[in-house]
């Protein structure tokens, strides 16, 4: 269970950064984007999402500022910093490699093992 | 809609967990927006308000714990950010300041140069004072625990403090429990090392076996002298100083085991001391040898057992936990016990302890007193420099007033503005400080090589000097930016924003005038100081010793034959050169030297000049005793026939010994003082004096009266008499040469070098070199006071000039109006000139008053000059007045040449 959570945390960072790769968004928009992009399969607590945002902001991967939304309400917008963009690229790469490797193992047949 | 919102607000009152902090408030707002947006979206999807709220809560997770985590993260970020902001702010300010300084390079360079000189003077003096007074000798561990042991006792009716003790006294001290360790040191002595062409003079110190261990000294090579070397039955050993190893042995690592001939002894090199180590004193040491092995070459007598050979100085390292008082009491008891059987010795002798820095003990040298004074003088130079910089910055600040006012109107904070001025000052001072280190390195080398030749300086700019320089730079920055910063932050906005050239605010003018007065007044003080020292120096130089030092060379010979040059099979040490041989060798040397074309005359004496002895057996025919004279003496010296002429001692009456031959009736020449004391009101010629022990005639007839004779520059005239040299062997040769004595040293040494194998080494030097240390403290004072005084003068002149130029600039309009109203060119120019001269005169008066007040403290350092010498005071004041006039002339003329029409139109 703990293993899964840890994995989820690292994953969450990449997802959040990906959400911001298209431009500044507020936290609610990030949550919405992740929910929609995964067709609701990824169930992430909003609290965890904000923790990820704040943690990455502290690391200066993200920067934030208050802006006015389309509905004329004040919201805090996050955006990727140059450092964040570098991180996103690096994370995407390792994640793809990792996921690919796991995927290959899962797909491999029993016959191959017997050779 | 509003109901669920307020309910959501109530539910998500994050602030409940976080207080009212701004960070928490923001977080509260951010999360509230999130939850409200979620609820709105859910309601749009068809959920009831109640359901939507429940779902939003569920989606968020454990709000309480998340809120805490998020707040903590935000706070960390903000803290980090604010620090980064502050750093960035400071960097930006510094960048700004640097750019602004770059825009007026001439001013910046001028200020940096002013600082470099002001701070450099301080760094240089600190370096010297640190070496002479503050810093313990290099290479010594925990020097603050080491004490010099001094004896205070009654001696010939006077209370004296002496550092020299005897070997048995030293042995007594070693029992002290208050000391962890006690060591003795004797010397340094100038000895000859080696033979023939390799012979050279070295400075040798004799130390007890515990010396190096007590000091915690380390060896660069081999080992140092240790207690088992306190043994003269063993082979003699020697430790080289790092500088001697470098100079005489080219840092040869194979020097260990080499045999050195020192004086008439042989010593094997066992080690080289660490670089920089020079023992407990500052006069450079070449070689250390064990006391027990070396003292036999020096002391001919039972120095080890009898308490009559005072030649050792003792040091001790305080045991942990023991105090100076305890150590003094204990060692005093030990010392008195050891001396209990000596009836002539003072029973109330007391041991006192002094720090390892000799100058902090009871005998502070003239040099270090002068150095301390010069340290204070350097501080004054810095004050003048800082006042000048402050003035320049103030003037520039005034020119920039409109710019500043605009900035303030645009909302820049005064703190930022002050920070900006401070940053400017700091940049200038630190750059000045860096340049000052170069000044100190250069100045320090100059001082040490010209004025403090015999003080061991391993390094001029040490870490301590760098630290000091940095601290002084900060101080200079503070001093010089305090007023400009205050001025910048308190402008009269309305006044400054108005167009046109606003007049200067009266307070600011007063401040700048005040700074100028400070500069000029201090410059006067320094010039007076310089004058006093220069006068002292010239008075010292004019002291008539009775001899003419210019063109005089002194030569002393060291005898001894190289054992290696003796025939095979003779293993014994060579027999010492007899006094008969020595006399012959001196005669030989005299003949050869007289043959040199540049030598005018040459002579020998039994005692080096100025060092004759008092003979207690002297009696005057017809008188019971020699009258006790307050002048000292009478001193006797045995000299040959050429001596008086060679030394430049002129005869006031009678004749000298030129025609004296051994076997003639004994004769003498007396100094004028001696003649006056012994035969007041009579002619001394023909009088009869018994010099020897016996009462029987013949007595020595006085055949000449010589001019006054002094034994040193500072001592009173002495009673001195000369008798012909006959049986005694010579110890010193005087050679008078044509032209420069310095140039004659080479040829003279050359003649002596190949003369005879028994002449081992000749010390050849000029008389001026020998007299040099006597006048050094005045020379140091005169040189540095003059340099500092000149520096101050230049800085003050620049300050005066810039102040006046600025004043002209500021008052151009006023002058234009005056002019337009009919004032003449002369009127206008004299207005400017008059004002500046009035100010200068006031400052000079202040400076003179300050000098007179301060003069009472320097009286002791001066030589035959009154500290309130009116000529010097007038000279210093006059010089500054002239400089002020020259400085004021330019701006005044510029003003006088202004075209009133142009001035008025420019409004």
């Amino acid at each position: 269970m703990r293993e899964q959570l840890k994995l989820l945390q690292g994953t969450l960072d990449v997802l959040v950064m990906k959400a911001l790769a298209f431009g500044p968004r507020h936290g609610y928009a990030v949550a919405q984007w992740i929910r929609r992009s995964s067709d609701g399969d990824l169930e992430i607590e909003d609290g965890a999402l904000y923790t990820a945002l704040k943690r990455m902001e502290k690391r200066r991967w993200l920067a934030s500022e208050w802006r006015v939304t389309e509905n004329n309400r004040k919201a805090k917008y996050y955006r990727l910093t140059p450092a964040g963009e570098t991180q996103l690229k690096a994370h995407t790469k390792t994640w793809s490699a990792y996921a690919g490797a796991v995927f290959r193992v899962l797909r491999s047949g029993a016959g191959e093992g017997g050779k | 809609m509003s109901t669920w919102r307020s309910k959501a607000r109530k539910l998500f009152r994050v602030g409940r967990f976080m207080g009212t902090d701004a960070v928490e408030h923001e977080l509260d707002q951010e999360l509230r927006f999130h939850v409200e947006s979620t609820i709105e979206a859910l309601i749009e999807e068809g959920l009831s308000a109640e359901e939507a709220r429940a779902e939003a809560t569920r989606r968020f997770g454990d709000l309480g714990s998340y809120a805490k985590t998020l707040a903590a993260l935000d706070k960390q970020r903000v803290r980090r950010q604010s620090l980064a902001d502050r750093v960035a702010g400071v960097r930006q300010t510094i960048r700004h300041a640097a750019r602004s300084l770059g825009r007026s390079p001439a001013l910046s360079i001028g200020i940096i140069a002013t600082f470099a000189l002001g701070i450099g003077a301080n760094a240089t003096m600190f370096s010297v004072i640190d070496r002479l007074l503050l810093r313990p000798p290099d290479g010594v561990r925990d020097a603050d625990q080491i004490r010099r042991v001094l004896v205070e006792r009654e001696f010939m009716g006077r209370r004296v403090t002496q550092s020299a003790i005897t070997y048995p006294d030293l042995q007594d001290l070693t029992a002290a429990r208050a000391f962890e360790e006690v060591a003795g040191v004797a010397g340094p002595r100038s000895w000859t090392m080696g033979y023939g062409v390799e012979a050279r003079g070295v400075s040798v110190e004799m130390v007890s076996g515990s010396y190096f261990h007590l000091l915690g000294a380390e060896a660069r090579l081999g080992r140092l002298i240790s207690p088992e070397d306190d043994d003269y039955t063993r082979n003699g050993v020697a430790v080289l100083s790092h500088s001697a190893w470098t100079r005489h042995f080219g840092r040869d690592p194979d020097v260990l085991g080499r045999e050195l001939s020192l004086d008439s002894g042989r010593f094997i090199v066992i080690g080289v001391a660490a670089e920089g180590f020079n023992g407990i004193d500052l006069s450079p040491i070449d070689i250390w040898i064990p006391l027990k092995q070396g003292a036999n070459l020096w002391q001919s007598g039972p120095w080890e057992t009898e308490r009559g050979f005072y030649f050792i100085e003792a040091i001790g390292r305080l045991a942990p936990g023991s105090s100076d008082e305890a150590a003094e009491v204990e060692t005093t008891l030990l010392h008195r016990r050891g001396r209990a059987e000596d009836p002539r010795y003072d029973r109330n002798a007391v041991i006192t302890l002094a720090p390892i820095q000799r100058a902090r003990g009871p005998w502070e040298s003239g040099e270090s007193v002068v150095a301390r004074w010069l340290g204070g003088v350097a501080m004054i130079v810095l004050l003048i420099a800082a006042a000048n910089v402050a003035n320049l910055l103030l003037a520039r600040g005034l020119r920039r007033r409109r710019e500043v006012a605009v900035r303030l109107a645009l909302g820049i904070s005064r703190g930022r503005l002050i920070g900006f001025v401070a940053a400017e000052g700091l940049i200038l001072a630190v750059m000045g400080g860096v340049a000052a280190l170069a000044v100190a390195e250069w100045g320090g080398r100059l001082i040490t090589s010209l004025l403090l030749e015999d003080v061991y300086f391993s390094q001029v700019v040490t870490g301590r000097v760098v630290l000091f320089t940095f601290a002084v730079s900060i101080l200079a920055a503070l001093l010089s930016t305090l007023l400009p910063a205050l001025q910048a932050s308190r402008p009269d906005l309305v006044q400054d924003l108005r167009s046109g050239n606003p007049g200067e605010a009266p307070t600011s003018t007063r401040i700048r005038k005040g700074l100028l007065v400070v500069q000029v007044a201090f410059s006067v003080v320094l010039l007076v100081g310089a004058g006093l020292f220069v006068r002292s120096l010239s008075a010292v130089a004019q002291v008539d010793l009775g001899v003419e030092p210019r063109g005089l060379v002194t030569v002393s010979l060291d005898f001894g034959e190289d054992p290696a040059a003796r025939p095979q099979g003779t293993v014994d040490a060579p027999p010492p050169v007899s006094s008969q041989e020595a006399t012959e060798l001196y005669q030989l040397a005299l003949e050869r030297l007289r043959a040199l074309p540049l030598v005018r005359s040459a002579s020998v004496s039994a005692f080096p000049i100025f060092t004759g002895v008092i003979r207690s057996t002297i009696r005057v025919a017809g008188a019971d005793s020699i009258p006790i004279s307050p002048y000292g003496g009478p001193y006797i010296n045995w000299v040959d026939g050429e001596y008086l002429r060679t030394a430049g001692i002129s005869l006031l009456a009678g004749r000298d010994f030129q025609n004296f031959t051994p076997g003639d009736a004994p004769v003498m020449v007396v100094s004028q003082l001696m003649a006056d004391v012994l035969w007041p009101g009579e002619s001394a010629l023909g009088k009869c004096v018994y010099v020897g022990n016996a009462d029987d005639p013949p007595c020595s007839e006085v055949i000449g009266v010589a001019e006054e004779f002094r034994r040193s520059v500072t001592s009173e005239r002495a009673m001195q008499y000369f008798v012909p040299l006959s049986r005694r062997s010579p110890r010193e040769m005087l050679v008078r040469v044509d032209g420069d004595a310095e140039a004659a040293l080479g040829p003279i040494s050359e003649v002596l070098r190949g003369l005879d194998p028994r002449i081992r080494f000749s010390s050849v030097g000029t008389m001026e070199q020998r007299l040099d240390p006597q006048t050094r403290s005045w020379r140091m004072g005169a040189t540095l006071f003059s340099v500092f005084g000149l520096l101050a003068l230049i800085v003050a002149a620049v300050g005066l000039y810039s102040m006046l130029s600025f004043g002209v600039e500021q008052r151009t309009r006023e002058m234009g109006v005056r002019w337009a109203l009919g004032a003449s060119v002369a009127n206008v120019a004299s207005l400017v000139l008059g004002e500046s001269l009035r100010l200068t005169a006031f400052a000079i008066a202040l400076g003179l008053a300050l000098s007179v007040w301060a003069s009472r403290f320097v009286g002791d350092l001066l030589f035959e000059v009154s500290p309130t010498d009116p000529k010097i005071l007038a000279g210093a004041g006059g010089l500054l007045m002239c400089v002020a006039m020259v400085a004021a002339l330019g701006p005044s003329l510029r003003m006088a040449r202004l075209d009133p029409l142009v001035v008025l139109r420019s409004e």
Side-chain angles (χ1 to χ4, degrees):
Chain A
M1 195 62 197
R2 277 181 67 99
E3 285 275 320
Q4 204 181 355
L5 256 174
K6 255 171 130 180
L7 187 76
L8 202 66
Q9 262 181 21
T11 322
L12 190 53
D13 285 354
V14 194
L15 296 179
V16 169
M17 283 193 284
K18 186 72 192 167
L20 296 174
F22 309 105
R25 291 172 196 264
H26 45 70
Y28 175 71
V30 172
Q32 288 285 92
W33 182 83
I34 293 177
R35 194 162 283 133
R36 263 189 226 130
S37 317
S38 67
D39 297 332
D41 288 348
L42 279 177
E43 204 27 84
I44 299 164
E45 281 190 346
D46 293 341
L49 181 87
Y50 275 94
T51 310
L53 280 170
K54 305 265 175 205
R55 197 174 49 233
M56 287 193 285
E57 189 186 6
K58 204 181 97 184
R59 288 180 189 158
R60 305 215 178 126
W61 296 355
L62 308 182
S64 67
E65 63 181 330
W66 288 94
R67 286 193 198 173
V68 180
T69 67
E70 296 133 33
N71 305 333
N72 277 330
R73 294 182 55 188
K74 254 179 82 182
K76 201 171 193 178
Y77 278 72
Y78 293 86
R79 63 177 168 79
L80 274 179
T81 62
E85 279 167 23
T86 318
Q87 285 295 327
L88 175 58
K89 267 180 210 145
H91 274 77
T92 312
K93 214 168 150 188
T94 40
W95 256 100
S96 312
Y98 178 68
V102 173
F103 199 56
R104 272 198 300 282
V105 171
L106 294 180
R107 222 176 26 182
S108 64
E112 277 174 278
K115 241 186 219 173
Chain B
M1 203 68 157
S2 62
T3 47
W4 68 257
R5 238 177 221 171
S6 71
K7 273 179 189 168
R9 221 164 265 160
K10 213 178 267 170
L11 181 64
F12 289 98
R13 194 179 290 149
V14 187
R16 197 171 49 200
F17 304 105
M18 301 188 283
T20 52
D21 193 68
V23 173
E24 287 160 2
H25 179 71
E26 273 201 11
L27 181 62
D28 191 20
Q29 278 200 322
E30 184 181 8
L31 296 185
R32 196 179 296 154
F33 166 77
H34 178 87
V35 173
E36 283 171 6
S37 303
T38 312
I39 294 175
E40 271 173 46
L42 289 172
I43 289 176
E44 262 172 44
E45 280 171 30
L47 267 67
S48 73
E50 206 53 34
E51 286 164 338
R53 208 178 59 212
E55 175 61 11
T57 316
R58 190 193 62 74
R59 281 192 188 174
F60 198 88
D62 181 356
L63 180 69
S65 82
Y66 274 129
K68 271 184 203 156
T69 315
L70 296 177
L73 281 169
D74 267 350
K75 278 181 186 167
Q76 285 168 13
R77 177 178 54 81
V78 167
R79 252 201 305 277
R80 197 183 288 179
Q81 189 60 42
S82 72
L83 189 70
D85 280 351
R86 226 170 294 157
V87 170
V90 168
R91 275 169 58 180
Q92 196 195 11
T93 307
I94 290 177
R95 249 201 317 275
H96 250 103
R99 219 176 298 143
S100 133
L101 292 175
R103 272 198 294 272
S104 42
L107 180 74
S108 304
I109 288 171
I111 291 177
I112 289 172
T114 308
F115 271 143
L117 293 174
I119 299 171
N122 279 273
T124 309
M125 284 325 295
F126 177 77
S127 164
V128 171
I129 291 170
D130 192 35
R131 177 68 292 172
L132 290 179
L133 276 166
L134 304 179
R135 196 153 44 103
D138 289 341
V140 174
R141 178 177 51 87
D142 297 336
D144 55 333
Q145 293 300 309
I146 300 176
R147 297 287 179 277
R148 285 174 190 268
V149 179
L150 311 173
V151 181
E152 210 183 298
R153 63 173 174 131
E154 202 86 36
F155 179 68
M156 293 181 72
R158 279 187 306 142
R159 194 94 188 143
V160 294
T161 301
Q162 61 178 49
S163 57
I165 58 169
T166 68
Y167 190 74
D169 291 328
L170 178 67
Q171 295 296 95
D172 294 340
L173 293 174
T174 51
R177 290 216 204 122
F179 283 133
E180 198 174 277
E181 203 165 15
V182 171
V185 51
R189 300 282 285 182
S190 297
W191 274 1
T192 307
M193 176 174 78
Y195 291 94
V197 288
E198 301 220 315
R200 58 198 77 200
V202 287
S203 136
V204 180
E205 202 164 58
M206 282 152 246
V207 299
S208 69
S210 49
Y211 183 75
F212 286 102
H213 183 261
L214 187 154
L215 296 182
E218 281 170 23
R220 166 76 169 75
L221 213 64
R223 69 173 180 92
L224 301 172
I225 292 166
S226 64
E228 63 256 30
D229 299 312
D230 274 340
D231 181 355
Y232 39 63
T233 60
R234 291 164 56 120
N235 282 332
V237 295
V239 169
L240 300 176
S241 74
H242 193 275
S243 69
W245 183 47
T246 306
R247 254 179 311 124
H248 299 312
F249 299 95
R251 297 204 184 182
D252 179 5
D254 293 332
V255 75
L256 296 185
R258 276 264 278 280
E259 194 181 77
L260 308 178
S261 337
L262 292 172
D263 198 61
S264 57
R266 315 275 203 94
F267 297 86
I268 292 179
V269 177
I270 52 166
V272 175
E275 188 166 6
F277 179 81
N278 190 58
I280 56 171
D281 279 312
L282 296 175
S283 59
I285 305 294
D286 293 319
I287 297 170
W288 289 277
I289 57 175
L291 185 59
K292 281 222 173 179
Q293 296 172 348
N296 283 327
L297 299 171
W298 181 1
Q299 298 291 348
S300 50
W303 58 270
E304 248 183 298
T305 49
E306 283 187 11
R307 293 176 191 266
F309 299 86
Y310 295 87
F311 69 107
I312 297 172
E313 289 185 47
I315 52 170
R317 180 181 285 281
L318 286 178
S322 78
S323 66
D324 281 45
E325 292 74 31
E328 281 174 351
V329 168
E330 192 187 4
T331 49
T332 298
L333 288 175
L334 288 169
H335 183 65
R336 286 184 190 169
R337 197 181 304 154
R339 289 284 188 166
E341 283 162 29
D342 185 348
R344 284 173 309 165
Y345 200 74
D346 178 14
R347 307 210 153 268
N348 298 315
V350 172
I351 300 266
T352 57
L353 301 181
I356 190 171
Q357 294 91 336
R358 188 181 287 275
R360 298 228 303 245
W363 314 277
E364 183 164 10
S365 67
E367 285 93 322
S368 65
V369 177
V370 172
R372 272 193 297 140
W373 265 94
L374 290 167
V377 167
M379 257 355 248
I380 294 180
V381 172
L382 183 69
L383 278 180
I384 295 174
N388 193 33
V389 171
N391 236 341
L392 290 173
L393 290 179
L394 275 172
R396 201 195 42 173
L398 288 172
R399 286 201 192 95
R400 276 199 201 151
R401 267 202 301 187
R402 277 192 65 195
E403 176 195 334
V404 170
V406 169
R407 281 198 193 185
L408 276 173
L410 288 177
I412 190 172
S413 78
R414 300 197 163 185
R416 284 285 297 277
L417 218 52
I418 292 178
F420 179 75
V421 177
E424 275 190 334
L426 205 62
I427 290 173
L428 292 169
V430 167
M431 285 176 81
V434 171
L437 286 179
V439 172
E441 176 69 32
W442 179 79
R445 294 238 162 272
L446 211 64
I447 292 178
T448 54
S449 66
L450 288 180
L451 303 171
L452 293 169
E453 280 163 28
D454 57 359
V455 173
Y456 179 83
F457 269 88
S458 49
Q459 228 183 334
V460 174
V461 176
T462 58
R464 285 161 66 100
V465 173
V466 173
L467 273 181
F468 175 85
T469 307
F470 184 70
V472 171
S473 305
I474 303 287
L475 181 72
L478 282 177
L479 282 177
S480 55
T481 54
L482 191 66
L483 291 173
L486 286 177
Q487 172 217 35
S489 70
R490 244 190 290 131
D492 182 349
L493 266 184
V494 184
Q495 173 67 280
D496 292 351
L497 280 174
R498 229 180 264 153
S499 72
N501 194 355
E504 194 180 350
T507 43
S508 156
T509 315
R510 234 175 292 137
I511 289 172
R512 298 197 311 110
K513 280 183 179 166
L515 285 172
L516 194 69
V517 167
V518 167
Q519 284 181 57
V520 173
F522 276 133
S523 304
V524 170
V525 174
L526 294 193
L527 286 178
V528 169
L532 290 175
F533 271 93
V534 169
R535 278 290 293 273
S536 293
L537 184 64
S538 75
V540 163
Q542 273 162 18
V543 167
D544 188 4
L545 288 164
V547 304
E548 173 51 52
R550 223 163 304 143
L552 202 54
V553 173
T554 66
V555 178
S556 64
L557 302 177
D558 190 16
F559 302 107
E561 201 171 347
D562 186 357
R566 293 170 69 81
Q568 288 284 312
T570 46
V571 276
D572 299 337
V577 174
S578 71
S579 68
Q580 179 60 36
E581 276 181 292
T583 307
E584 283 167 18
L585 288 169
Y586 263 107
Q587 281 306 324
L588 179 67
L590 272 182
E591 280 162 32
R592 293 297 175 83
L593 287 179
R594 282 177 184 151
L596 274 180
L598 58 80
V599 171
R600 225 187 288 166
S601 67
S603 69
V604 289
S605 61
F607 281 97
I609 194 162
F610 307 127
T611 64
V613 289
I614 301 178
R615 251 175 115 76
S616 53
T617 53
I618 181 170
R619 281 195 315 106
V620 176
D624 289 339
S625 61
I626 294 275
I628 290 175
S629 122
Y631 309 112
Y635 300 97
I636 185 174
N637 201 355
W638 289 265
V639 301
D640 71 0
E642 292 285 315
Y643 191 82
L644 298 179
R645 197 162 67 88
T646 307
I649 300 169
S650 49
L651 286 178
L652 302 173
R655 58 195 161 88
D656 61 10
F657 315 133
Q658 260 181 344
N659 304 316
F660 183 85
T661 47
D664 287 2
V667 290
M668 68 163 60
V669 169
V670 299
S671 72
Q672 191 192 13
L673 180 71
M674 184 159 164
D676 287 349
V677 169
L678 295 187
W679 304 283
E682 291 176 63
S683 164
L685 296 180
K687 291 287 189 297
C688 198
V689 179
Y690 296 97
V691 178
N693 281 323
D695 277 349
D696 44 314
C699 59
S700 305
E701 185 196 345
V702 175
I703 57 165
V705 177
E707 63 176 317
E708 300 291 11
F709 194 85
R710 281 170 211 266
R711 289 161 67 81
S712 79
V713 168
T714 46
S715 61
E716 291 292 333
R717 298 171 301 159
M719 293 206 284
Q720 171 85 40
Y721 61 108
F722 302 96
V723 296
L725 181 72
S726 51
R727 283 199 308 275
R728 289 179 171 260
S729 58
R731 291 246 301 276
E732 187 180 66
M733 205 165 3
L734 290 183
V735 183
R736 179 157 299 280
V737 299
D738 282 323
D740 188 17
E742 196 89 32
L745 297 182
I748 289 176
S749 306
E750 195 57 44
V751 166
L752 297 171
R753 193 165 295 137
L755 201 55
D756 189 289
R758 287 169 295 173
I759 296 178
R760 183 176 175 188
F761 184 70
S762 54
S763 317
V764 182
T766 66
M767 182 58 77
E768 283 172 313
Q769 272 168 4
R770 180 178 306 183
L771 295 176
D772 183 81
Q774 297 183 9
T775 59
R776 186 188 294 148
S777 65
W778 292 289
R779 218 178 33 247
M780 187 160 143
T783 312
L784 293 178
F785 254 108
S786 299
V787 169
F788 290 156
L790 197 67
L791 245 156
L793 192 64
I794 292 170
V795 169
V798 170
L800 203 62
Y801 176 83
S802 64
M803 162 106 184
L804 287 174
S805 306
F806 181 71
V808 167
E809 202 175 291
Q810 291 284 305
R811 296 174 59 185
T812 302
R813 194 177 75 158
E814 177 198 332
M815 291 299 158
V817 173
R818 277 176 195 257
W819 214 335
L821 289 175
S824 71
V825 174
N827 272 345
V828 171
S830 70
L831 196 73
V832 175
L833 202 61
E835 186 186 308
S836 74
L837 292 188
R838 265 200 307 281
L839 194 65
T840 314
F842 171 69
I844 290 174
L846 195 68
L848 290 177
L850 207 60
S851 308
V852 170
W853 174 78
S855 66
R856 68 177 86 173
F857 304 108
V858 284
D860 293 346
L861 298 174
L862 304 176
F863 187 81
E864 291 180 0
V865 175
S866 156
T868 52
D869 187 292
K871 266 185 256 164
I872 291 174
L873 293 178
L879 181 59
L880 252 162
M881 205 65 209
C882 290
V883 168
M885 279 165 125
V886 171
L889 213 57
S892 311
L893 285 177
R894 204 161 352 118
M895 165 136 290
R897 282 201 209 99
L898 285 176
D899 182 347
L901 285 178
V902 175
V903 171
L904 288 173
R905 215 177 289 143
S906 77
E907 278 306 303

